[in-house]
Amino acid sequence: DAGVTQSPTHLIKTRGQQVTLRCSPKSGHDTVSWYQQALGQGPQFIFQYYEEEERQRGNFPDRFSGHQFPNYSSELNVNALLLGDSALYLCASSIRSGATYNEQFFGPGTRLTVL
Amino acid sequence: AQSVTQLDSHVSVSEGTPVLLRCNYSSSYSPSLFWYVQHPNKGLQLLLKYTSAATLVKGINGFEAEFKKSETSFHLTKPSAHMSDAAEYFCVVSDRMAFSGTASKLTFGTGTRLQVTL
């Protein structure tokens, strides 16, 4: 089992550019959540996708958008990049079921640097 | 709104001595609480979770945590530290969803860096 995978590992962009990050969930998982982890901080929830729709959203501007594909993989898009968008972007996958809580499994992250 | 406060940004212990990482939480609903560990250049790994069952929760690698509602605390402990325990630890809270099954958003604390010395 490959676990959660993310690409690319590292990315360098300049202000104003657009970026797309990709995530493949753990086998059998159908829900993907994205988090932003700034240096020295805890991860912050961006949004969550299930059945190809955004189900929850954190306190992030509309410059942050996403997509989920029929195979459950997901993309995170950020437009008009700012220096403050530099961070580690984490993807987490889980499975929707009747259980009260379903563990979220995290990928290794994509390190985005905005110059 | 839900939040967690990790009371120490950095904790240093000697190998073989006990570990205590402190966490207080705030939640409007009956919370689920977790501890995650993040080793350098590795993904977040779940250490343990509390989801309204036993208040003393045992996790991996000898870690455990006790949910104390009266103190709104969920401190992480380990009887004897090992060099491999050196990492960043995050206390996390998640409010129960109105309907079960959907993964709730996780709210992370700012982290506690654990240093283990010889």
Side-chain angles (χ1 to χ4, degrees):
Chain A
D1 184 359
V4 181
T5 60
Q6 294 186 243
S7 63
T9 305
H10 295 86
L11 204 52
I12 299 176
K13 292 286 188 179
T14 57
R15 282 179 297 174
Q17 285 189 314
Q18 179 265 344
V19 69
T20 297
L21 311 181
R22 296 175 176 82
C23 171
S24 291
K26 186 177 170 68
S27 177
H29 287 188
D30 55 12
T31 302
V32 173
S33 302
W34 286 92
Y35 294 80
Q36 180 196 66
Q37 186 177 16
L39 197 62
Q41 301 295 318
Q44 286 194 298
F45 175 77
I46 302 175
F47 44 53
Q48 180 186 95
Y49 277 83
Y50 171 70
E51 290 186 329
E52 303 179 47
E53 289 187 15
E54 184 182 294
R55 300 292 180 167
Q56 299 183 76
R57 190 178 183 91
N59 188 26
F60 280 80
D62 292 345
R63 298 188 297 110
F64 289 76
S65 63
H67 189 78
Q68 186 179 35
F69 299 93
N71 67 353
Y72 308 120
S73 66
S74 177
E75 288 182 350
L76 164 65
N77 301 295
V78 187
N79 295 323
L81 284 167
L82 304 174
L83 295 179
D85 295 332
S86 295
L88 180 67
Y89 289 84
L90 296 165
C91 170
S93 75
S94 57
I95 185 168
R96 190 176 192 275
S97 73
T100 303
Y101 172 75
N102 298 301
E103 180 179 344
Q104 296 188 36
F105 290 80
F106 284 83
T110 294
R111 173 75 61 187
L112 172 65
T113 302
V114 182
L115 301 176
Chain B
Q2 55 191 15
S3 65
V4 289
T5 301
Q6 293 186 242
L7 300 172
D8 306 292
S9 60
H10 182 260
V11 170
S12 182
V13 301
S14 299
E15 190 175 35
T17 65
V19 175
L20 170 63
L21 304 184
R22 299 181 295 165
C23 172
N24 288 343
Y25 71 90
S26 173
S27 176
S28 302
Y29 306 100
S30 180
S32 294
L33 292 159
F34 317 91
W35 278 95
Y36 278 82
V37 61
Q38 187 175 39
H39 291 274
N41 302 316
K42 291 191 176 182
L44 286 159
Q45 181 183 21
L46 180 66
L47 276 180
L48 49 81
K49 63 184 179 187
Y50 166 77
T51 55
S52 83
T55 57
L56 182 61
V57 180
K58 294 186 183 300
I60 62 172
N61 300 334
F63 285 95
E64 63 181 39
E66 186 171 7
F67 173 73
K68 291 186 176 180
K69 187 175 181 179
S70 60
E71 299 177 9
T72 61
S73 69
F74 190 59
H75 301 333
L76 180 70
T77 61
K78 183 174 181 178
S80 176
H82 190 272
M83 294 296 289
S84 61
D85 294 329
E88 189 85 18
Y89 290 79
F90 293 97
C91 183
V92 182
V93 66
S94 173
D95 281 337
R96 304 285 174 80
M97 293 296 291
F99 52 92
S100 65
T102 300
S104 302
K105 71 171 188 177
L106 302 179
T107 300
F108 285 75
T110 52
T112 297
R113 179 162 296 279
L114 177 63
Q115 181 182 15
V116 182
T117 59
L118 289 172

